[in-house]
Amino acid sequence: MPDTIDLDVPAHEHAARLRAGDYTARTLAEATLERVRAQEPSLHAYITLTDELALAQAAAADERLRAGEGGPLTGIPIGVKDLLSTKGVRTTAASKMLEQFTPVLDCTVVQRIQEAGAVIIGKTNLDEFAMGSSTEHSAFGPTHNPWDLDRVPGGSSGGSAATVAARGVPLSLGTDTGGSIRQPAALCGILGLKPTYGRVSRFGVVAFASSLDQVGPFGLDAEDVARLLGVIAGHDPNDSTTAPVPVPDYTEHFGRGLGGLRVGVPQQFLGEGLDDGVRQAIEQAIGVLEANGAVVDRSVTLPSADAALPVYYLIAPSEASANLARYDGVKYGYSYTSGASVEEEMSLTRGGGFGPEVKRRIMLGTYALSAGYYDAYYLKAQKVRTLIRREFEAALSDHDVILSPTSPSTAFRLGEKLDDPYAMYLNDLYTIPANIAGNAAISIPAGFADGLPVGLHLAGRPFEESRLLGAAHAYAQLTDWHTRQPSLPAV
Ligand code: GLN
């Protein structure tokens, strides 16, 4: 047994060392908890640390490992976004509304990672109800970017991204409704994948916008992301939106290289609003792909994708306003009980329980759905959504992936965009189209601008996550961006 465990390695390295008996899941969990705790004052990546649960899960993992059983996740520490229900562990959605809410069951995804033997270290910080791009809208205070503590980690899954980037845990789970896995992955310099709509169960996940929400993995390399996706993907009888599509081995495209990969690069995604440093890094990455056999086509267009952001800000708030109607002070969490009437209690509960961004979304959504405006806003947005989906289908009929930056800028300063919701919304300009169309998409580390990480975004056909991971794996053989590590005080 070594005195110290190298916590900077990806999960598959830990898995090999656990199998070899170099250390136990218990010692790994203890070392992980110690490091995470030491990083928390700088990062604030977690809302709740789950020491007891982690040690119990680690003990169970050790038994399986001793018996020569278990798989790639057995004994591996993981962070779980605090939007995913965990039985007996409070699940807050980073909202005052759910501050005291302890679910009676695990969501399907958590159940699956537990069955696979993962060790849950804690519940990670996020923007309240996953609404935001900076994690600043958390009722528990913001998460900090490990590359520069004065900057945001992105959002809404900012805690999940920051803790993996800081090598607190090797793996984490987030959710992505409009970019909330990919944008923080980009801003923190790690990989993040949004699975195809219908690929991963949302049963037990606090709902934001049900026609867009997906759960997905963060990791340090393509192999880790592939392994975690393999565990959480698949049909779930408890979520009728999950597709009965078989789950492949997501490493099936590894080793194929980039030769012949048809890459569409819509010029509209490299135009106005994009930071120069990000553009340069992306152009360099395109150069690497091309030099290694990829066929890059810059003539592809997605004309309606320019409308994806406004379409999203009609559809997502509309669905949110319906989903959040359940927080009335009667069934869940926070409730204000000394009003003069039921109406007053409800209004005081919602007035006091929700933060300003959530209220903004509820108002936007309620307006878009109201009689007289429904046709002009919500219905029209749905029609444009169909156009965007068809354009993706057409573009991906003769291209394997659509390439763009993940985010128009690198990590911005805390507070910089808080008073300007529109500037905050523009962060998701390149990620939102894949949610609107329902496609699979990934962000991979692709360089730096002014010392801050830049993410490369690849969108692929529905259920072709393997192809995206294969491209990510091949690109990582040619560059070392994914191995760069922020210099946070290590334990
Ligand atoms: N930033 C986007 C929003 O605020 C996307 C959030 C998400 O994907 N959950 O809605």
Side-chain angles (χ1 to χ4, degrees):
M1 198 72 54
D3 290 341
T4 52
I5 296 178
D6 182 1
L7 294 176
D8 295 342
V9 302
H12 56 88
E13 289 280 341
H14 283 306
R17 292 173 196 182
L18 286 169
R19 268 197 304 276
D22 290 351
Y23 43 83
T24 63
R26 189 185 167 94
T27 49
L28 176 58
E30 282 169 350
T32 300
L33 282 163
E34 194 184 327
R35 176 180 277 191
V36 162
R37 198 160 258 120
Q39 292 178 338
E40 272 303 273
S42 330
L43 290 183
H44 188 36
Y46 291 82
I47 292 177
T48 306
L49 288 174
T50 50
D51 300 57
E52 235 176 86
L53 176 66
L55 294 177
Q57 288 173 337
D62 278 329
E63 270 189 36
R64 284 167 77 173
L65 288 162
R66 267 196 297 275
E69 290 164 6
L73 284 196
T74 309
I76 304 299
I78 188 168
V80 173
K81 186 177 187 178
D82 205 18
L83 198 66
L84 276 59
S85 292
T86 38
K87 185 178 171 180
V89 176
R90 74 170 178 159
T91 299
T92 68
S95 180
K96 186 175 170 196
M97 189 64 92
L98 293 178
E99 193 173 357
Q100 310 292 345
F101 173 62
T102 303
V104 293
L105 44 77
D106 286 314
C107 65
T108 298
V109 165
V110 164
Q111 200 182 323
R112 287 191 179 171
I113 60 166
Q114 301 207 79
E115 279 163 12
V119 173
I120 299 175
I121 296 297
K123 305 293 297 290
T124 58
N125 199 10
L126 65 148
D127 286 294
E128 183 177 3
F129 285 101
M131 297 172 189
S133 306
S134 69
T135 318
E136 292 169 290
H137 295 310
S138 168
F140 298 85
T143 295
H144 300 252
N145 190 313
W147 290 93
D148 178 344
L149 297 176
D150 294 330
R151 292 177 188 267
V152 304
S156 64
S157 316
S160 292
T163 185
V164 171
R167 273 60 171 179
V169 287
L171 287 175
S172 65
L173 288 171
T175 64
D176 192 313
T177 304
S180 277
I181 293 174
R182 293 159 288 154
Q183 184 257 13
L187 270 46
C188 289
I190 60 169
L191 286 88
L193 183 139
K194 181 198 88 72
T196 309
Y197 186 78
R199 180 68 293 186
V200 178
S201 168
R202 290 98 45 84
F203 178 70
V205 179
V206 177
F208 167 9
S210 304
S211 77
L212 299 158
D213 299 341
Q214 270 294 292
V215 178
F218 287 97
L220 296 171
D221 65 18
E223 177 165 356
D224 276 7
V225 172
R227 299 282 182 220
L228 180 51
L229 179 62
V231 168
I232 62 172
H235 179 65
D236 175 11
N238 285 325
D239 178 354
S240 59
T241 65
T242 52
V245 176
V247 177
D249 173 350
Y250 284 112
T251 63
E252 65 191 356
H253 281 240
F254 287 13
R256 292 194 192 177
L258 295 165
L261 186 76
R262 295 168 303 172
V263 182
V265 185
Q267 289 312 288
Q268 71 206 92
F269 292 158
L270 291 172
E272 205 194 323
L274 179 62
D275 278 9
D276 279 342
V278 176
R279 181 183 291 112
Q280 275 167 25
I282 295 301
E283 286 295 355
Q284 227 176 54
I286 295 172
V288 171
L289 299 181
E290 220 163 8
N292 288 278
V295 184
V296 174
D297 171 16
R298 290 177 185 263
S299 71
V300 64
T301 56
L302 296 162
S304 307
D306 290 342
L309 196 71
V311 163
Y312 174 87
Y313 277 98
L314 287 166
I315 293 176
S318 295
E319 294 181 9
S321 71
N323 275 328
L324 270 58
R326 73 191 69 174
Y327 305 107
D328 54 9
V330 178
K331 253 192 181 159
Y332 300 99
Y334 179 80
S335 106
Y336 190 97
T337 49
S338 29
S341 63
V342 173
E343 287 80 6
E344 195 187 67
E345 284 185 359
M346 234 176 239
S347 140
L348 288 168
T349 295
R350 290 170 68 82
F354 291 135
E357 184 60 28
V358 173
K359 286 180 186 162
R360 186 178 295 126
R361 304 292 176 105
I362 292 173
M363 283 189 276
L364 281 171
T366 309
Y367 184 78
L369 289 175
S370 57
Y373 294 107
Y374 181 89
D375 285 4
Y377 294 124
Y378 186 75
L379 199 65
K380 190 150 188 196
Q382 291 291 14
K383 289 179 180 164
V384 180
R385 180 177 196 171
T386 304
L387 286 180
I388 295 171
R389 184 178 293 145
R390 286 195 192 136
E391 288 171 10
F392 261 93
E393 248 168 54
L396 285 163
S397 68
D398 49 8
H399 300 90
D400 298 311
V401 294
I402 301 294
L403 180 151
S404 69
T406 303
S407 180
S409 72
T410 53
F412 45 96
R413 288 187 185 284
L414 284 151
E416 195 179 314
K417 298 186 195 227
L418 255 187
D419 297 330
D420 186 350
Y422 185 61
M424 189 74 92
Y425 297 171
L426 280 173
N427 263 284
D428 299 306
L429 198 59
Y430 306 130
T431 45
I432 278 178
N435 299 84
I436 296 296
N439 293 46
I442 194 169
S443 178
I444 59 183
F448 287 80
D450 292 329
L452 294 165
V454 171
L456 175 79
H457 189 263
L458 299 176
R461 288 176 211 115
F463 300 99
E464 288 200 356
E465 286 82 2
S466 292
R467 197 181 292 278
L468 301 178
L469 288 160
H473 185 258
Y475 179 70
Q477 309 296 303
L478 303 162
T479 58
D480 68 352
W481 304 122
H482 67 293
T483 65
R484 303 290 179 91
Q485 196 171 330
S487 56
L488 213 69
V491 178

